[in-house]
């Protein structure tokens, strides 16, 4: 009886470990600044990336639900393309601070999700109301 119980525990443990290992590779993101990605983009291919930076002024081109823009930080930039799978936030505009989730394809950050930081004027108004 003890041998069967131990064997069952080993099978369950191995199964759970396998599930955790393989599922985390698909849902985990490597957090980078746009300047880091622009400086050494070749080593980040085939990885899920979460990139922080600013939308470069003059670079935003909306194409229906899709958008092309340049993500920049510290005088380094990387081109980005938003696929339109989700909605762009209202605060997304030129000069906005953003966080982009996607993958690097042929030197372009192809994004499936974009988050924009709220403007500081809204934060200041909220702080005064408290």
């Amino acid at each position: 009886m003890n041998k069967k119980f131990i064997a069952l525990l080993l099978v369950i443990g191995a199964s759970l470990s396998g599930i955790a290992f393989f599922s985390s590779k698909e849902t985990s993101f490597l957090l980078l600044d746009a300047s880091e990605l622009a400086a050494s983009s070749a080593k980040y291919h085939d990885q899920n990336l979460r990139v922080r930076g600013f939308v470069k002024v003059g670079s935003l081109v909306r194409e229906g639900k899709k958008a092309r823009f340049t993500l920049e930080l510290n005088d380094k930039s990387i081109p980005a393309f938003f696929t339109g799978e989700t909605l762009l936030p209202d605060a997304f505009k030129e000069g906005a601070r953003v966080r982009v989730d996607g993958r690097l394809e042929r030197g372009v950050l192809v994004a499936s999700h974009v988050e924009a930081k709220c403007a500081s004027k809204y934060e200041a108004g909220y702080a005064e109301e408290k």
Side-chain angles (χ1 to χ4, degrees):
M1 177 84 171
N2 276 342
K3 290 181 182 179
K4 289 181 181 179
F5 183 70
I6 291 172
L8 179 63
L9 286 178
L10 288 173
V11 168
I12 291 172
S15 298
L16 291 175
S17 297
I19 290 170
F21 176 75
F22 290 112
S23 67
S24 68
K25 287 192 174 223
E26 293 178 14
T27 59
S28 63
F29 288 88
L30 180 62
L31 182 62
L32 295 169
D33 288 331
S35 57
E36 292 176 81
L37 182 59
S40 55
S41 60
K43 69 179 185 179
Y44 297 112
H45 281 279
D46 297 327
Q47 293 187 36
N48 291 327
L49 302 173
R50 181 165 282 164
V51 184
R52 298 179 295 195
F54 294 89
V55 178
K56 185 175 183 176
V57 175
S59 71
L60 179 59
V61 177
R62 293 181 184 256
E63 304 165 352
K65 289 184 177 181
K66 300 175 183 180
R68 293 186 182 280
F69 57 97
T70 301
L71 196 60
E72 71 175 352
L73 188 67
N74 299 331
D75 296 324
K76 293 186 180 178
S77 60
I78 187 98
F81 173 72
F82 175 66
T83 61
E85 291 178 28
T86 59
L87 293 176
L88 282 171
D90 291 337
F92 181 78
K93 60 184 179 183
E94 293 181 344
R97 175 189 252 170
V98 295
R99 190 185 81 195
V100 178
D101 295 348
R103 297 176 71 85
L104 197 59
E105 297 178 11
R106 291 184 227 118
V108 176
L109 180 60
V110 178
S112 57
H113 182 77
V114 173
E115 289 185 15
K117 178 113 172 146
C118 291
S120 59
K121 66 179 181 180
Y122 299 120
E123 293 170 5
Y126 178 73
E128 292 172 4
E129 290 178 7
K130 287 184 177 182

